[in-house]
Amino acid sequence: MRTYLLLTGAILFSFGQLRAQRACLSADYLNNQLQVDPSLAEEMSRIENFIQNHIAASANSRIEGVTIKIPVVVHILYHVPGENISDEAVYSQIDMLNKCFRRTHPDSAKTPAVFKPIAADCEIEFQLATSDPLRRRTTGIIHKYTPLTYWQADDMMKSSAQMGDDPWDSKSYLNIWVCNMRKIAGYSSLPGGPATKDGVVIDLNVFGTNTKPGYEMGKTAVHEVGHWLGLRHIWGDAECGDDLVADTPPQSDYSIGCPTGIHTSCNNGPNGDMYSNYMDYTSDACVNLFTEGQKTRMRAYFAAGGARNSLLTSTGLSAPLIEEAPLPEEAPRWLAPRIYPNPAGNELVLDVAYDIRWVGKVMIILNATGQRLMQFTISSKIQKINIAQLKPGLYFISSRKEDGSYIKQKFIKM
Ligand SMILES: [Zn+2]
């Protein structure tokens, strides 16, 4: 619960302070999943036994020397045009994933000398899908308007029925959802969770390069994809916890900002904490390695019988069999509440279908001098309001949500 408590506390402070650490909710997300489905613990422990046995087996039985290529589909969910991340931003993110997992990024030179001998080229690459699950040609990027204004770590973005976008078969694709997470940088499922919830979620403010200062290099996605490939936080989500990797030193807690020098904790001297590891919370400019142990762990999931093995036979990167271009996404026709008719007789219709989170909020009707004449709770996305009691004239209809968005519109009663 460490990150959750931190987040709750941090909300009391400024957004800037909150961003001083990589607000990743993956560990809490796993805890929630385990509470919802206790049988998941057994499945994850079976997978962990498989991974540990595979790592313990001779190096010859591992899939060494093979570059693993993972087909990726990016689901961009936007509510206002500014949230509709460009394809170029997606390319920059895929490029950063490849540079970090292949250890070709110039920041690799910054890895502390004591850890350089165990810094790994993971030989894992990412590529936007060229074929969708029906073998139709695709760019691997989906842009989709959503009526929702923001998202939480509750998987709603992974479901079209809940205003998000359904995943492509997670046995064949890495699904990445990019949406307005507010205050959360991202979260990921671990291998073995439900297939319909499998994938990585990234806040649009830290997706791709040139984004939020401190997390502007696209390394949040590197961290989250690390989780998706079975890595835990470097501090093991507990004081001197176990991250299930042998060559990462134990460390008392996460790191923030851009540490320098040697920080010892949990008797991990003389080299100290590995704060430059992608699985810490350090700023983007200061994380620069996965270790050989993390590489072996991630790649073990791809072995025969492993939880990510099916990706090796995905057709997501094959030539498409169907050239039919998918229909372009229909742009939303409105991004605001609508009231009609206007002028109105005895009945006014309020349509908030663009954002169903208005349902349940209190709406007031004011006259031109600001006097409150009516108050009611919005009970459905298209609601009829009886305004027979109002005299002819100009009125305002108004409401406000916790996220700061508000409705204020004029109407005339005939
Ligand atoms: Zn994390």
Side-chain angles (χ1 to χ4, degrees), residues 24 26 223-224 227 233:
C24 162
S26 297
H223 174 107
E224 297 303 338
H227 285 308
H233 287 136

Side-chain angles (χ1 to χ4, degrees), residues 25-26 28-34 36-37 40 75 77 148 150-167 175 177 179 181 184 186-190 193-202 228 357:
L25 278 198
S26 297
D28 301 309
Y29 174 73
L30 174 63
N31 287 339
N32 289 342
Q33 277 190 317
L34 290 168
V36 171
D37 178 10
L40 184 60
H75 309 256
L77 296 170
L148 297 194
Y150 67 92
W151 304 82
Q152 294 165 310
D154 58 6
D155 290 337
M156 276 176 69
M157 70 291 288
K158 302 174 183 175
S159 160
S160 297
Q162 293 183 290
M163 311 282 179
D165 199 38
D166 288 340
N175 286 271
W177 288 267
C179 50
M181 293 299 288
I184 299 169
Y187 71 99
S188 175
S189 58
L190 284 162
T196 54
K197 310 276 192 254
D198 186 78
V200 165
V201 178
I202 308 284
W228 184 76
R357 294 185 198 202

Side-chain angles (χ1 to χ4, degrees), residues 70-277:
I70 299 177
V72 180
V73 55
V74 177
H75 309 256
I76 295 162
L77 296 170
Y78 67 95
H79 181 67
V80 291
E83 295 174 357
N84 193 5
I85 302 286
S86 69
D87 288 357
E88 284 66 33
V90 177
Y91 304 148
S92 76
Q93 183 61 78
I94 298 290
D95 183 54
M96 182 53 77
L97 285 170
N98 287 323
K99 283 184 171 142
C100 295
F101 278 84
R102 292 305 314 256
R103 199 166 164 74
T104 57
H105 195 278
D107 282 354
S108 305
K110 297 191 208 162
T111 300
V114 289
F115 296 132
K116 272 190 177 148
I118 52 166
D121 164 7
C122 299
E123 297 176 275
I124 297 173
E125 292 181 2
F126 303 85
Q127 203 176 317
L128 288 165
T130 48
S131 278
D132 77 3
L134 297 173
R135 292 294 298 270
R136 295 176 300 190
R137 181 177 294 282
T138 178
T139 60
I141 305 173
I142 296 164
H143 297 266
K144 186 172 180 181
Y145 167 77
T146 172
L148 297 194
T149 51
Y150 67 92
W151 304 82
Q152 294 165 310
D154 58 6
D155 290 337
M156 276 176 69
M157 70 291 288
K158 302 174 183 175
S159 160
S160 297
Q162 293 183 290
M163 311 282 179
D165 199 38
D166 288 340
W168 289 6
D169 182 6
S170 56
K171 288 189 162 47
S172 298
Y173 299 89
L174 161 58
N175 286 271
I176 300 179
W177 288 267
V178 183
C179 50
N180 182 10
M181 293 299 288
R182 305 169 85 218
K183 301 189 175 72
I184 299 169
Y187 71 99
S188 175
S189 58
L190 284 162
T196 54
K197 310 276 192 254
D198 186 78
V200 165
V201 178
I202 308 284
D203 177 34
L204 59 90
N205 292 300
V206 293
F207 183 81
T209 55
N210 300 316
T211 54
K212 282 267 178 204
Y215 300 98
E216 72 280 32
M217 295 174 67
K219 291 183 182 174
T220 295
V222 175
H223 174 107
E224 297 303 338
V225 171
H227 285 308
W228 184 76
L229 291 170
L231 298 186
R232 307 300 177 103
H233 287 136
I234 191 98
W235 67 98
D237 292 302
E239 172 126 18
C240 308
D242 183 5
D243 68 350
L244 307 170
V245 173
D247 64 358
T248 52
Q251 133 176 0
S252 64
D253 209 340
Y254 57 86
S255 312
I256 56 169
C258 242
T260 52
I262 289 172
H263 294 226
T264 53
S265 64
C266 311
N267 298 315
N268 64 9
N271 299 337
D273 296 352
M274 193 186 273
Y275 51 73
S276 47
N277 194 283

